[in-house]
Amino acid sequence: IILSAEKTTQSVKNLVNAYSAGENGQLEDALAASKNAWNLADEAGQLNPEQHSMTDSIKQLTHALAEKVRGIQEKQGEKTQEE
């Protein structure tokens, strides 16, 4: 239970870092932190199935953030190609 809680905490920290990186335009860092957050939440859920509701929510948030970042990257790529 303690290890699961620790991984959940690390996951949330990575999620916060991902949002911060995205806000600062550090899109690759945002994707990396999102991936770490998702993986840590997944590990926490496997260690303690009672936390699945929380870890699934974290995974959904990290997925949504990563999709948003990828969309921004695509738009930036399109602008670069137009120029």
Side-chain angles (χ1 to χ4, degrees):
I1 294 176
I2 293 172
L3 184 57
S4 176
E6 184 177 301
K7 289 197 180 282
T8 301
T9 301
Q10 291 171 352
S11 178
V12 171
K13 287 180 183 179
N14 273 272
L15 178 58
V16 170
N17 289 340
Y19 274 107
S20 180
E23 288 291 318
N24 291 320
Q26 300 167 322
L27 302 181
E28 290 300 321
D29 291 342
L31 285 176
S34 293
K35 182 178 179 178
N36 288 338
W38 194 97
N39 288 334
L40 287 163
D42 192 53
E43 290 175 25
Q46 290 177 21
L47 289 169
N48 184 3
E50 292 177 11
Q51 285 192 323
H52 269 292
S53 176
M54 184 185 316
T55 58
D56 286 349
S57 293
I58 295 168
K59 288 164 54 175
Q60 289 173 355
L61 288 169
T62 59
H63 177 74
L65 175 61
E67 288 297 307
K68 184 174 182 178
V69 169
R70 288 185 193 103
I72 292 169
Q73 286 178 321
E74 285 179 19
K75 286 181 184 178
Q76 288 179 346
E78 291 171 5
K79 286 181 182 178
T80 302
Q81 291 175 0
E82 291 174 4
E83 296 173 353

